[in-house]
Amino acid sequence: MIAGSLVSCEGLFLFNPNQVVFSDDEKDLNRKSVERIRMLPVTDTVRFILMGDTQRFYDESEDFVKSANGQEDIAFVLHAGDISDFGLSQEFKWVNQIMKKLKYPYLTVIGNHDLLANGPIAYQRMYGNLNYSFEFGNHKFIFVDTNSREYAFNGKVPDLQWLKSELDNNSSNKNAIVIGHMAPFHGDFDKNLESRYAEILSSDPNVNFTLYGHQHSFSDSIYYNDGVHYHVTTTVGARGYMIVTSWNGGHKVERVTY
Protein backbone atom coordinates (compact mmCIF):
# COMPACT_ATOMS: atom_id res chain seq x y z
CA MET A 1 0.00 0.00 0.00
CA ILE A 2 1.32 3.42 -0.97
CA ALA A 3 0.27 6.14 1.42
CA GLY A 4 1.20 9.75 1.94
CA SER A 5 1.11 11.57 5.26
CA LEU A 6 -0.44 14.96 5.78
CA VAL A 7 -0.43 17.13 8.89
CA SER A 8 -3.58 18.92 9.99
CA CYS A 9 -4.76 20.71 13.08
CA GLU A 10 -6.28 17.38 14.11
CA GLY A 11 -2.91 15.65 13.97
CA LEU A 12 -1.35 13.16 11.61
CA PHE A 13 -3.49 11.10 9.24
CA LEU A 14 -2.89 8.90 6.22
CA PHE A 15 -4.38 9.24 2.76
CA ASN A 16 -4.32 6.29 0.39
CA PRO A 17 -4.89 7.32 -3.25
CA ASN A 18 -6.42 3.89 -3.94
CA GLN A 19 -9.10 4.15 -1.26
CA VAL A 20 -12.69 3.87 -2.46
CA VAL A 21 -14.93 5.88 -0.16
CA PHE A 22 -18.02 7.70 -1.39
CA SER A 23 -20.78 9.59 0.37
CA ASP A 24 -24.40 8.50 -0.19
CA ASP A 25 -24.99 11.25 -2.74
CA GLU A 26 -22.02 9.95 -4.77
CA LYS A 27 -23.32 6.38 -5.07
CA ASP A 28 -25.46 4.59 -7.67
CA LEU A 29 -25.58 7.64 -9.91
CA ASN A 30 -26.69 5.91 -13.12
CA ARG A 31 -29.79 4.50 -11.43
CA LYS A 32 -30.60 7.90 -9.95
CA SER A 33 -30.23 9.52 -13.37
CA VAL A 34 -32.53 6.92 -14.96
CA GLU A 35 -35.15 7.73 -12.32
CA ARG A 36 -34.92 11.42 -13.27
CA ILE A 37 -35.14 10.62 -16.98
CA ARG A 38 -38.27 8.54 -16.49
CA MET A 39 -39.97 11.59 -15.01
CA LEU A 40 -39.46 13.57 -18.23
CA PRO A 41 -42.34 13.98 -20.70
CA VAL A 42 -42.19 11.33 -23.43
CA THR A 43 -42.20 12.42 -27.07
CA ASP A 44 -41.59 10.62 -30.38
CA THR A 45 -38.15 12.23 -30.64
CA VAL A 46 -35.36 12.19 -28.06
CA ARG A 47 -32.45 14.63 -28.17
CA PHE A 48 -29.37 14.03 -26.03
CA ILE A 49 -25.67 14.82 -25.79
CA LEU A 50 -22.82 12.35 -26.28
CA MET A 51 -19.48 13.41 -24.77
CA GLY A 52 -16.56 11.66 -23.17
CA ASP A 53 -12.95 11.25 -22.12
CA THR A 54 -12.96 13.84 -19.34
CA GLN A 55 -9.83 12.27 -17.79
CA ARG A 56 -7.71 15.18 -16.47
CA PHE A 57 -9.44 17.81 -18.61
CA TYR A 58 -11.13 19.50 -15.67
CA ASP A 59 -11.19 23.06 -17.01
CA GLU A 60 -12.45 21.81 -20.38
CA SER A 61 -15.10 19.76 -18.58
CA GLU A 62 -16.28 22.87 -16.74
CA ASP A 63 -16.58 24.62 -20.09
CA PHE A 64 -18.44 21.63 -21.52
CA VAL A 65 -21.07 21.94 -18.80
CA LYS A 66 -21.53 25.63 -19.61
CA SER A 67 -21.89 24.85 -23.30
CA ALA A 68 -24.25 21.92 -22.74
CA ASN A 69 -26.46 23.93 -20.40
CA GLY A 70 -26.91 26.45 -23.22
CA GLN A 71 -28.40 23.83 -25.58
CA GLU A 72 -32.15 23.50 -26.03
CA ASP A 73 -34.43 20.49 -25.69
CA ILE A 74 -31.79 18.15 -24.26
CA ALA A 75 -33.15 15.18 -22.29
CA PHE A 76 -29.88 13.89 -20.83
CA VAL A 77 -26.11 13.57 -21.33
CA LEU A 78 -24.24 10.33 -22.08
CA HIS A 79 -20.61 10.12 -20.95
CA ALA A 80 -18.82 7.67 -23.28
CA GLY A 81 -16.18 6.63 -20.74
CA ASP A 82 -12.71 7.48 -19.48
CA ILE A 83 -14.23 9.51 -16.71
CA SER A 84 -10.90 9.20 -14.93
CA ASP A 85 -7.30 8.96 -16.11
CA PHE A 86 -5.81 6.61 -13.50
CA GLY A 87 -8.90 4.88 -12.08
CA LEU A 88 -8.66 6.76 -8.77
CA SER A 89 -11.81 7.40 -6.79
CA GLN A 90 -10.83 11.05 -6.28
CA GLU A 91 -10.82 11.53 -10.05
CA PHE A 92 -14.37 10.17 -10.25
CA LYS A 93 -15.35 12.55 -7.45
CA TRP A 94 -13.81 15.58 -9.18
CA VAL A 95 -15.54 14.83 -12.47
CA ASN A 96 -18.89 14.23 -10.77
CA GLN A 97 -18.57 17.56 -8.96
CA ILE A 98 -18.36 19.17 -12.39
CA MET A 99 -20.97 17.06 -14.16
CA LYS A 100 -23.62 17.50 -11.49
CA LYS A 101 -23.76 21.17 -12.49
CA LEU A 102 -25.52 20.05 -15.67
CA LYS A 103 -29.20 20.95 -15.98
CA TYR A 104 -29.76 17.39 -17.19
CA PRO A 105 -29.25 13.89 -15.81
CA TYR A 106 -26.06 12.25 -16.98
CA LEU A 107 -25.26 8.56 -17.52
CA THR A 108 -21.95 6.81 -18.06
CA VAL A 109 -20.35 3.81 -19.68
CA ILE A 110 -17.00 2.57 -18.36
CA GLY A 111 -13.80 3.43 -20.24
CA ASN A 112 -10.44 1.68 -20.38
CA HIS A 113 -8.80 4.24 -18.06
CA ASP A 114 -11.62 3.70 -15.56
CA LEU A 115 -10.50 0.07 -15.28
CA LEU A 116 -7.02 0.95 -13.98
CA ALA A 117 -6.02 0.53 -10.31
CA ASN A 118 -9.18 0.32 -8.16
CA GLY A 119 -11.23 1.91 -10.93
CA PRO A 120 -13.65 -1.01 -11.40
CA ILE A 121 -14.59 -0.91 -7.72
CA ALA A 122 -14.84 2.87 -7.68
CA TYR A 123 -16.92 2.96 -10.88
CA GLN A 124 -19.39 0.35 -9.66
CA ARG A 125 -19.85 2.04 -6.30
CA MET A 126 -20.32 5.46 -7.84
CA TYR A 127 -22.24 4.59 -11.01
CA GLY A 128 -23.40 0.98 -10.86
CA ASN A 129 -23.19 -2.05 -13.14
CA LEU A 130 -20.67 -2.15 -15.99
CA ASN A 131 -23.42 -3.43 -18.34
CA TYR A 132 -26.93 -2.04 -18.01
CA SER A 133 -29.88 -0.71 -19.99
CA PHE A 134 -32.97 1.43 -19.65
CA GLU A 135 -35.96 2.40 -21.75
CA PHE A 136 -37.31 5.86 -22.41
CA GLY A 137 -40.26 6.39 -24.71
CA ASN A 138 -39.72 4.42 -27.91
CA HIS A 139 -35.99 4.02 -27.27
CA LYS A 140 -33.91 1.41 -25.47
CA PHE A 141 -30.39 2.46 -24.41
CA ILE A 142 -27.87 -0.34 -23.86
CA PHE A 143 -24.53 0.40 -22.17
CA VAL A 144 -21.83 -2.24 -22.56
CA ASP A 145 -18.22 -2.59 -21.40
CA THR A 146 -16.19 -2.96 -24.62
CA ASN A 147 -12.69 -2.50 -23.14
CA SER A 148 -11.30 -5.88 -24.18
CA ARG A 149 -7.60 -5.11 -23.68
CA GLU A 150 -8.06 -4.42 -19.96
CA TYR A 151 -9.26 -8.03 -19.62
CA ALA A 152 -6.28 -9.39 -21.59
CA PHE A 153 -8.56 -10.24 -24.53
CA ASN A 154 -10.05 -13.13 -22.58
CA GLY A 155 -12.98 -13.55 -24.96
CA LYS A 156 -15.54 -12.38 -22.39
CA VAL A 157 -15.54 -8.60 -22.97
CA PRO A 158 -17.75 -7.36 -24.41
CA ASP A 159 -20.32 -9.81 -23.07
CA LEU A 160 -21.97 -10.73 -26.37
CA GLN A 161 -24.49 -13.09 -24.80
CA TRP A 162 -25.71 -10.32 -22.50
CA LEU A 163 -25.80 -7.81 -25.37
CA LYS A 164 -27.85 -10.13 -27.58
CA SER A 165 -30.26 -10.89 -24.75
CA GLU A 166 -30.81 -7.16 -24.19
CA LEU A 167 -31.54 -6.66 -27.88
CA ASP A 168 -33.82 -9.70 -27.98
CA ASN A 169 -35.68 -8.46 -24.89
CA ASN A 170 -37.28 -5.66 -26.88
CA SER A 171 -40.78 -6.91 -27.57
CA SER A 172 -42.07 -3.40 -28.33
CA ASN A 173 -39.45 -2.99 -31.08
CA LYS A 174 -38.07 0.19 -29.58
CA ASN A 175 -35.14 1.93 -31.26
CA ALA A 176 -32.11 0.20 -29.73
CA ILE A 177 -29.04 2.39 -29.16
CA VAL A 178 -25.86 0.65 -27.99
CA ILE A 179 -23.23 2.76 -26.19
CA GLY A 180 -19.67 1.62 -25.49
CA HIS A 181 -16.31 3.26 -24.93
CA MET A 182 -14.29 1.22 -27.43
CA ALA A 183 -15.62 0.88 -30.97
CA PRO A 184 -15.29 -2.67 -32.38
CA PHE A 185 -12.91 -1.61 -35.15
CA HIS A 186 -10.38 -0.22 -32.65
CA GLY A 187 -7.23 -2.20 -31.84
CA ASP A 188 -8.16 -2.39 -28.13
CA PHE A 189 -11.36 -4.31 -28.96
CA ASP A 190 -11.04 -8.11 -29.01
CA LYS A 191 -10.57 -9.02 -32.68
CA ASN A 192 -11.98 -12.48 -32.04
CA LEU A 193 -15.28 -10.86 -31.02
CA GLU A 194 -15.41 -8.04 -33.56
CA SER A 195 -17.30 -9.76 -36.37
CA ARG A 196 -19.85 -11.36 -34.03
CA TYR A 197 -20.41 -8.03 -32.25
CA ALA A 198 -21.07 -6.28 -35.58
CA GLU A 199 -23.31 -9.15 -36.69
CA ILE A 200 -25.41 -8.94 -33.52
CA LEU A 201 -26.00 -5.24 -34.16
CA SER A 202 -26.66 -5.46 -37.89
CA SER A 203 -29.02 -8.43 -37.58
CA ASP A 204 -31.31 -6.49 -35.27
CA PRO A 205 -33.72 -4.29 -37.26
CA ASN A 206 -34.10 -1.94 -34.29
CA VAL A 207 -30.40 -0.94 -34.32
CA ASN A 208 -29.69 1.96 -36.69
CA PHE A 209 -26.67 3.48 -34.98
CA THR A 210 -24.28 2.96 -32.07
CA LEU A 211 -22.11 5.36 -30.03
CA TYR A 212 -18.53 5.44 -28.71
CA GLY A 213 -15.66 7.57 -27.39
CA HIS A 214 -11.96 6.77 -26.79
CA GLN A 215 -10.48 7.95 -30.11
CA HIS A 216 -10.28 11.65 -29.11
CA SER A 217 -11.65 12.65 -32.51
CA PHE A 218 -14.99 12.69 -34.30
CA SER A 219 -15.85 9.96 -36.78
CA ASP A 220 -18.97 8.64 -38.46
CA SER A 221 -19.08 5.63 -40.74
CA ILE A 222 -21.11 2.59 -41.76
CA TYR A 223 -17.96 0.68 -41.01
CA TYR A 224 -19.06 -2.82 -41.95
CA ASN A 225 -21.29 -1.86 -44.90
CA ASP A 226 -24.25 -3.35 -43.08
CA GLY A 227 -26.40 -0.25 -42.56
CA VAL A 228 -25.36 0.43 -38.94
CA HIS A 229 -23.78 3.85 -38.29
CA TYR A 230 -20.84 3.96 -35.88
CA HIS A 231 -20.60 7.43 -34.35
CA VAL A 232 -17.55 8.35 -32.27
CA THR A 233 -17.34 11.58 -30.28
CA THR A 234 -14.19 13.51 -29.55
CA THR A 235 -12.79 14.20 -26.08
CA VAL A 236 -13.75 17.23 -24.03
CA GLY A 237 -10.00 17.93 -24.09
CA ALA A 238 -10.53 18.87 -27.73
CA ARG A 239 -13.56 20.93 -26.62
CA GLY A 240 -16.13 18.99 -28.58
CA TYR A 241 -19.22 16.80 -28.21
CA MET A 242 -22.19 15.52 -30.22
CA ILE A 243 -25.89 16.27 -30.07
CA VAL A 244 -27.87 13.21 -31.14
CA THR A 245 -31.51 13.43 -32.18
CA SER A 246 -33.29 10.10 -32.64
CA TRP A 247 -36.79 9.24 -33.80
CA ASN A 248 -38.58 6.20 -35.11
CA GLY A 249 -36.76 5.28 -38.31
CA GLY A 250 -34.10 7.97 -38.29
CA HIS A 251 -31.50 10.01 -36.45
CA LYS A 252 -29.29 13.07 -36.80
CA VAL A 253 -25.90 13.89 -35.28
CA GLU A 254 -24.55 17.42 -34.83
CA ARG A 255 -20.92 18.09 -33.89
CA VAL A 256 -20.40 20.92 -31.42
CA THR A 257 -17.16 22.69 -30.54
CA TYR A 258 -16.87 25.19 -27.71
Side-chain angles (χ1 to χ4, degrees):
M1 180 178 69
I2 299 173
S5 62
L6 298 173
V7 177
S8 76
C9 59
E10 299 297 325
L12 186 68
F13 64 92
L14 297 178
F15 171 73
N16 179 358
N18 290 315
Q19 67 183 352
V20 182
V21 179
F22 296 109
S23 60
D24 287 343
D25 64 349
E26 293 174 320
K27 295 178 182 177
D28 209 9
L29 297 184
N30 285 334
R31 179 188 60 79
K32 293 173 181 176
S33 288
V34 168
E35 290 177 353
R36 290 177 60 192
I37 292 168
R38 286 177 173 158
M39 295 176 65
L40 297 174
V42 174
T43 61
D44 293 336
T45 299
V46 61
R47 180 174 160 91
F48 59 91
I49 288 173
L50 176 72
M51 50 75 70
D53 296 270
T54 44
Q55 294 174 297
R56 285 179 285 168
F57 302 122
Y58 300 117
D59 291 342
E60 294 86 347
S61 296
E62 292 273 10
D63 290 341
F64 159 73
V65 169
K66 294 174 185 176
S67 177
N69 282 342
Q71 301 292 346
E72 297 182 355
D73 302 321
I74 300 297
F76 48 83
V77 171
L78 304 184
H79 192 309
D82 278 1
I83 303 160
S84 67
D85 204 15
F86 303 108
L88 301 178
S89 59
Q90 186 58 57
E91 295 179 289
F92 289 103
K93 289 171 176 278
W94 284 331
V95 171
N96 181 56
Q97 286 295 317
I98 296 169
M99 294 290 286
K100 72 181 186 179
K101 298 174 187 175
L102 286 164
K103 296 193 298 187
Y104 326 105
Y106 84 97
L107 296 146
T108 67
V109 70
I110 195 163
N112 60 311
H113 282 261
D114 303 323
L115 288 163
L116 300 176
N118 281 346
I121 299 171
Y123 180 91
Q124 289 177 87
R125 289 188 185 173
M126 176 168 267
Y127 292 105
N129 294 333
L130 304 189
N131 298 325
Y132 68 101
S133 68
F134 79 97
E135 297 181 359
F136 177 64
N138 61 346
H139 289 77
K140 180 172 184 175
F141 294 85
I142 302 171
F143 299 77
V144 58
D145 180 1
T146 59
N147 303 289
S148 307
R149 183 177 295 278
E150 277 55 48
Y151 300 88
F153 300 111
N154 63 5
K156 298 179 181 179
V157 176
D159 186 337
L160 299 187
Q161 183 176 352
W162 178 86
L163 175 60
K164 181 131 187 351
S165 70
E166 285 294 315
L167 290 169
D168 290 343
N169 186 21
N170 187 12
S171 58
S172 300
N173 294 319
K174 296 177 183 290
N175 293 327
I177 301 174
V178 176
I179 305 100
H181 179 66
M182 201 76 61
F185 42 81
H186 193 278
D188 291 329
F189 191 102
D190 193 332
K191 288 302 169 188
N192 292 324
L193 301 180
E194 178 183 357
S195 61
R196 179 57 180 152
Y197 179 91
E199 180 188 5
I200 288 172
L201 298 186
S202 64
S203 64
D204 191 307
N206 299 306
V207 177
N208 296 308
F209 67 96
T210 181
L211 304 171
Y212 305 91
H214 183 67
Q215 296 179 188
H216 291 210
S217 61
F218 289 117
S219 72
D220 170 18
S221 63
I222 303 177
Y223 194 85
Y224 301 100
N225 297 316
D226 56 10
V228 177
H229 284 263
Y230 287 79
H231 296 290
V232 180
T233 189
T234 191
T235 169
V236 297
R239 295 183 177 274
Y241 59 91
M242 288 178 170
I243 298 177
V244 182
T245 306
S246 179
W247 60 92
N248 208 14
H251 76 285
K252 178 178 72 172
V253 171
E254 307 163 64
R255 298 178 181 181
V256 178
T257 56
Y258 58 92

